[in-house]
Amino acid sequence: MSTTPAPEQSAQSHDRFEAVVNLTKRRGFVFPSAEIYGGLRSSYDYGPLGTLMLRNLKDAWWRAMVQERDDVVPIDAAILTNPRVWEASGHLSTFTDPLVDCRNCKERLRADHLENGVCPNCGSTDLTEARPFNLMFKTFVGPVEDDAAVAYLRPETAQGMFVNFANVLTTTRRRPPFGIAQIGRSFRNEITPGNFVFRTREFEQMEMEFFCHPDEAEQWHRYWCEERMAWYLRYGMPASLLRLRPHDKDELAHYAAASSDVEFLFPWGWGELEGIANRTDFDLRAHSEHSGVRLEYFDQATGERFTPYVIEPAAGATRAMMAFLLAAYDEDEIGGERRTVLRLHPRLAPYQVAVLPLSRKENLAQLARDVHARLRRRFICDYDDTQSIGRRYRRQDEIGTPWCVTVDFDSLEDDAVTIRDRDSTDQRRVPIAGLVAEIAALVGD
Ligand code: GAP
């Protein structure tokens, strides 16, 4: 299957990519990590707006995967755990990428990312043989740096769900089918991180392990593929930039019987946002064998004892944020003036509302502060009283704020404010008393 977009789409997208990366830096979504020290390759810090957006995105996942369901429970497992977890899961032996060195420029490269065996850095074909490189970050727990103290930063959140399977089963009295969900940081010592936050060494995952009867695994796999595609559409991802791609047999991870990727059309082609795998009973069996603790389910109604199969929708939060930003970026013309606008879904935008007093005069500022105080109890809300109103609208458009509430001198008389819509730029007058309900109806969902 082709991974290359049509040329015109690709050219447009490369410009868009540059524009989005610049915007995220300029407006405080994403900064190179520790920039005052020259940064660290492919390590990023999330600024005020990026932190808000990332949190909104994780909340949106949480709502769909935990809050709105009665068959999924959450956990929050440790990043550092017993290293035997990684032995049992197969990560110690098989979580590797093929590494080659360029003998000419000394660059280290991923063999499976090379085109025709050519070093992308210097063009040389004088490369070493590929050898497996384990992606897990190794560290030592405690003051003694010996083999007994070795631990790993988790490369996926998933194992936290498997090793807690029995605990969750007994404490919540669940029975399959049910899921355990978790959002958290994962770490991989990627050989070639890059493409901004697409591939980094530290990133956030949103994963759910859904335990079901083996006979129902295929059906649940189809179900979760549909659910997860629908989630991206629900939050405004255009269908034309999204596809579901089933894996070929030779692509499957060591634990998977089947897998499909939700892919986004990045400037460099289709790239994975989320993998939805049928992990079979691989993990529960492996942990049973290594720990000696039986990880199975006994169905008292039928008398059947079985090791559940697992369907796993595993998404990247930071990668999804980048895709939503790329999809939302737009430039248009309003009243003869060019503007940049992020057409983000209201639930994902850093701010849902901005309150803009027309003047800093005390009586107006007081009313605007009151309006702001009412709104911020329900919504993530900005307050901006600097520069002209036109410039403030542009600034809010550029960071994706769907609605601006303008407090003007008439507001002092009529107890009403103007709501301006980011996308249409239409404005209408609304009584202050009904403002919170009005914005809530607009945010919807
Ligand atoms: N538990 C299964 C698992 O971890 P994965 O496909 O390796 O599966 C799931 O990872 C998601 O995590 C990916 O679809 C991607 O969105 C995100 N991800 C993986 N590696 C990443 C990296 N180095 N940087 C940013 N996101 C990454």
Side-chain angles (χ1 to χ4, degrees):
M1 200 173 281
S2 164
T3 59
T4 317
E8 64 286 0
Q9 204 166 11
S10 166
Q12 183 213 10
S13 296
H14 276 289
D15 289 349
R16 168 181 292 236
F17 182 63
E18 287 304 314
V20 168
V21 173
N22 288 339
L23 189 152
T24 59
K25 172 84 199 295
R26 184 161 38 82
R27 297 305 310 270
F29 283 79
V30 182
F31 303 125
S33 182
E35 199 177 10
I36 58 169
Y37 289 102
L40 176 69
R41 191 178 158 205
S42 293
S43 230
Y44 295 94
D45 296 334
Y46 288 81
L49 296 184
T51 304
L52 288 172
M53 180 171 171
L54 196 54
R55 212 191 65 155
N56 290 344
L57 189 135
K58 290 184 284 185
D59 284 350
W61 185 90
W62 195 262
R63 275 161 61 94
M65 300 297 280
V66 181
Q67 190 181 325
E68 293 175 353
R69 301 193 64 98
D70 50 22
D71 56 358
V72 177
V73 293
I75 65 162
D76 195 344
I79 289 172
L80 288 174
T81 186
N82 191 313
R84 292 184 61 210
V85 169
W86 309 114
E87 200 185 307
S89 67
H91 283 81
L92 267 175
S93 52
T94 57
F95 194 58
T96 57
D97 277 338
L99 172 70
V100 294
D101 291 299
C102 173
R103 291 197 182 89
N104 185 44
C105 71
K106 312 298 178 213
E107 186 80 0
R108 305 201 121 173
L109 306 159
R110 248 178 88 165
D112 56 332
H113 283 182
L114 296 178
E115 273 184 35
N116 305 322
V118 177
C119 170
N121 193 40
C122 70
S124 169
T125 51
D126 189 7
L127 308 176
T128 61
E129 283 293 309
R131 59 194 183 283
F133 171 76
N134 195 295
L135 299 184
M136 282 199 294
F137 277 101
K138 205 176 193 174
T139 187
F140 298 95
V141 172
V144 184
E145 296 195 3
D146 63 13
D147 286 350
V150 165
Y152 301 90
L153 301 190
R154 68 178 177 203
E156 60 172 13
T157 63
Q159 296 303 321
M161 274 81 98
F162 299 128
V163 298
N164 280 295
F165 172 74
N167 283 340
V168 173
L169 205 59
T170 43
T171 54
T172 64
R173 286 177 286 112
R174 297 276 153 177
R175 46 191 312 237
F178 78 98
I180 310 179
Q182 169 166 220
I183 297 178
R185 297 231 168 190
S186 293
F187 303 82
R188 296 181 189 177
N189 199 1
E190 299 280 1
I191 298 168
T192 48
N195 285 334
F196 194 39
V197 297
F198 178 82
R199 184 172 286 107
T200 49
R201 294 191 169 112
E202 174 180 353
F203 53 96
E204 274 197 278
Q205 288 188 307
M206 310 182 289
E207 298 197 287
M208 198 271 289
E209 310 302 323
F210 195 78
F211 301 91
C212 63
H213 192 283
D215 293 348
E216 296 175 352
E218 275 183 37
Q219 169 198 329
W220 281 113
H221 187 237
R222 277 195 300 278
Y223 169 85
W224 281 111
C225 286
E226 283 167 23
E227 282 291 297
R228 295 304 305 148
M229 283 292 282
W231 182 82
Y232 290 93
L233 298 172
R234 171 177 170 183
Y235 287 100
M237 190 65 87
S240 58
L241 298 179
L242 209 60
R243 75 176 185 188
L244 185 72
R245 188 181 68 82
H247 277 203
D248 292 334
K249 281 272 174 270
D250 60 353
E251 284 181 86
L252 291 173
H254 63 275
Y255 48 72
S259 197
S260 291
D261 285 348
V262 177
E263 293 187 334
F264 176 78
L265 188 55
F266 285 98
W268 51 90
W270 290 97
E272 175 186 339
L273 288 182
E274 167 162 357
I276 303 154
N278 175 354
R279 290 181 81 126
T280 68
D281 55 3
F282 177 90
D283 302 272
L284 289 183
R285 271 190 197 286
H287 287 302
S288 291
E289 279 160 25
H290 282 74
S291 67
V293 176
R294 278 174 131 184
L295 299 176
E296 354 169 272
Y297 177 72
F298 176 64
D299 189 335
Q300 288 183 336
T302 63
E304 187 186 8
R305 185 180 291 282
F306 64 91
T307 306
Y309 268 34
V310 172
I311 307 303
E312 175 196 65
T318 35
R319 196 178 278 188
M321 174 173 150
M322 174 176 162
F324 276 110
L325 282 170
L326 281 165
Y329 185 89
D330 196 12
E331 290 171 14
D332 65 7
E333 210 171 281
I334 298 292
E337 211 187 305
R338 300 273 315 152
R339 70 164 181 166
T340 298
V341 53
L342 286 184
R343 300 192 194 277
L344 289 169
H345 188 283
R347 289 264 175 209
L348 299 187
Y351 297 114
Q352 272 115 43
V353 200
V355 176
L356 315 178
L358 210 59
S359 142
R360 281 178 169 170
K361 286 221 168 74
E362 190 46 40
N363 53 350
L364 200 64
Q366 184 57 50
L367 179 61
R369 287 275 171 212
D370 288 350
V371 169
H372 185 224
R374 283 186 201 207
L375 286 168
R376 73 198 305 185
R377 282 192 218 111
R378 274 293 286 281
F379 312 106
I380 311 172
C381 211
D382 194 17
Y383 185 92
D384 186 4
D385 62 2
T386 57
Q387 299 188 310
S388 75
I389 191 73
R391 291 186 82 150
R392 281 184 269 166
Y393 284 151
R394 300 289 166 277
R395 275 209 298 269
Q396 295 296 336
D397 290 343
E398 198 185 40
I399 61 171
T401 309
W403 298 288
C404 288
V405 169
T406 312
V407 183
D408 56 28
F409 288 102
D410 288 342
S411 307
L412 296 168
E413 307 299 325
D414 66 0
D415 284 328
V417 288
T418 302
I419 299 182
R420 173 191 179 270
D421 181 272
R422 173 195 70 200
D423 295 335
S424 65
T425 73
D426 288 348
Q427 304 192 11
R428 67 200 165 84
R429 204 80 184 149
V430 175
I432 293 173
L435 186 61
V436 170
E438 186 78 29
I439 301 282
L442 288 170
V443 172
D445 184 40

